[in-house]
Amino acid sequence: MNASALLKTFSAAALALALAACGGQKDTAPAAAASVPAADTGAEKKEIVFGTTVGDFGDMVKEQIQPALEKKGYTVKLIEFTDYVRPNLALAEGELDINIFQHKPYLDDFKKEHKLDLTEVFQVPTAPLGLYPGKLASLDEVKEGSSVSAPNDPSNFARALVMLNELGWVKLKDGINPLTASKNDIAENLKNINIVELEAAQLPRSRADVDFAVVNGNYAMSSGMKLTETLFQEPSFAYVNWAAVKTADKDSQWLKDVEEAYNSEEFKAYARKRFEGYKYPASWGENAAAGAQAEAASAASAAQ
């Protein structure tokens, strides 16, 4: 199978394995942004500590989820992180009860590397990874040697390379794994693109210095950027983000109440209006279910 065919079926394979979207760097870091006592884990647990990245996921908690849970008698605390490393470490160490910021490929890779007992539990609305204008305003303006900033963490950098391949700016080698694609997997740099790797949080600001920028959805939104500004978005639904908890908590009543809040009709109406253009959970049956089935069938066929 050539690289193009493999890349077209990758999102299907990922969906079929229930994968989902934001990744991050894998450097070691302090476990939490702030010192928060671990809440009790008993059957009558009434305090829930959320960890999210700054921006849309935190806004969802503050604007909808916290009020909904408070009506059920819970106290909700929120810690917002500016990186992709600390939320999982804080969760594993009991300083958070639940975090929301990552797609499943990143979670799987992170918990394997750090030997963490974490589990994904439900999906949340997610802004897609997009290519945004920098010094150049349209795709037609790309030229020999154009610069493109991209997230430097492995999972999101691989996604950026897939996007550049789909745009025809680079050609990836045949048979590569799109999930782990790196610069070494570029067979041809057709436009001699200068790929500038940066931490995801720096990408919105980088637009003043590069021709184009591949920006993670949550950082785009928290920086005041709009999805309507994107020049190209990844088409896959494989990177819709998940909430994660310690595996021991996956059947707890408080988690059932949290999941119910995220899947309520009130939250769905809020998300459709507040986060228009996002990719929604497959369980909502919108923008994903039919595509997921088609992608899964395509992946199964390709694997035979």
Side-chain angles (χ1 to χ4, degrees):
M1 180 186 301
N2 61 33
S4 177
L6 178 65
L7 293 170
K8 288 179 181 178
T9 59
F10 164 66
S11 59
L15 247 303
L17 294 172
L19 298 180
C22 266
Q25 66 267 38
K26 305 197 307 192
D27 309 313
T28 41
S35 178
V36 178
D40 64 284
T41 57
E44 299 302 318
K45 175 182 176 64
K46 286 298 179 181
E47 179 179 280
I48 305 173
V49 183
F50 284 78
T52 71
T53 42
V54 173
D56 48 6
F57 298 124
D59 291 343
M60 292 175 197
V61 174
K62 290 180 283 189
E63 296 172 3
Q64 285 289 312
I65 302 305
Q66 181 172 351
L69 292 173
E70 287 176 343
K71 288 180 181 179
K72 292 189 174 185
Y74 290 98
T75 297
V76 173
K77 292 185 178 181
L78 171 65
I79 299 176
E80 295 179 283
F81 296 83
T82 58
D83 70 276
Y84 292 145
V85 175
R86 293 178 292 168
N88 279 332
L89 299 178
L91 178 60
E93 293 180 8
E95 296 177 7
L96 304 175
D97 295 306
I98 183 170
N99 70 34
I100 300 170
F101 76 100
Q102 65 195 319
H103 52 64
K104 192 171 182 294
Y106 177 70
L107 172 62
D108 288 344
D109 184 59
F110 192 97
K111 68 183 183 182
K112 179 179 180 180
E113 179 180 351
H114 295 273
K115 297 179 174 58
L116 305 181
D117 192 14
L118 306 179
T119 300
E120 73 281 356
V121 284
F122 59 85
Q123 291 180 318
V124 297
T126 305
L129 191 71
L131 181 80
Y132 290 81
K135 292 187 290 186
L136 300 181
S138 73
L139 297 179
D140 293 338
E141 295 181 55
V142 66
K143 55 191 176 184
E144 181 78 9
S146 284
S147 56
V148 179
S149 60
N152 65 359
D153 61 275
S155 60
N156 281 320
F157 185 72
R159 294 165 69 190
L161 287 181
V162 170
M163 290 177 64
L164 296 179
N165 183 87
E166 290 173 339
L167 285 166
W169 294 1
V170 304
K171 177 178 173 56
L172 296 178
K173 295 176 181 176
D174 290 343
I176 61 99
N177 180 355
L179 184 61
T180 60
S182 69
K183 282 186 175 179
N184 292 332
D185 295 314
I186 298 175
E188 295 181 64
N189 192 337
L190 302 171
K191 297 287 185 179
N192 195 27
I193 297 295
N194 175 26
I195 304 175
V196 182
E197 298 178 58
L198 298 171
E199 290 190 10
Q202 298 176 11
L203 292 168
R205 294 191 299 273
S206 76
R207 296 171 69 193
D209 301 312
V210 297
D211 295 321
F212 304 97
V214 177
V215 184
N216 300 66
N218 61 310
Y219 285 120
M221 299 302 100
S222 65
S223 299
M225 297 161 62
K226 298 179 180 178
L227 292 179
T228 52
E229 294 180 59
T230 57
L231 302 176
F232 184 80
Q233 290 181 354
E234 63 179 356
S236 174
F237 283 86
Y239 293 98
V240 176
N241 283 15
W242 290 80
V245 299
K246 295 184 290 295
T247 302
D249 289 334
K250 67 183 180 64
D251 296 317
S252 61
Q253 182 58 49
W254 66 265
L255 180 57
K256 293 176 183 177
D257 291 335
V258 171
E259 184 170 1
E260 181 179 308
Y262 272 97
N263 286 303
S264 68
E265 292 305 314
E266 292 79 7
F267 182 77
K268 290 179 183 178
Y270 156 81
R272 293 186 195 108
K273 182 176 180 181
R274 177 77 160 77
F275 301 109
E276 186 178 2
Y278 275 44
K279 292 185 176 180
Y280 303 129
S283 64
W284 291 13
E286 303 171 18
N287 295 345
Q293 292 174 356
E295 289 177 350
S298 177
S301 175
Q304 292 176 354

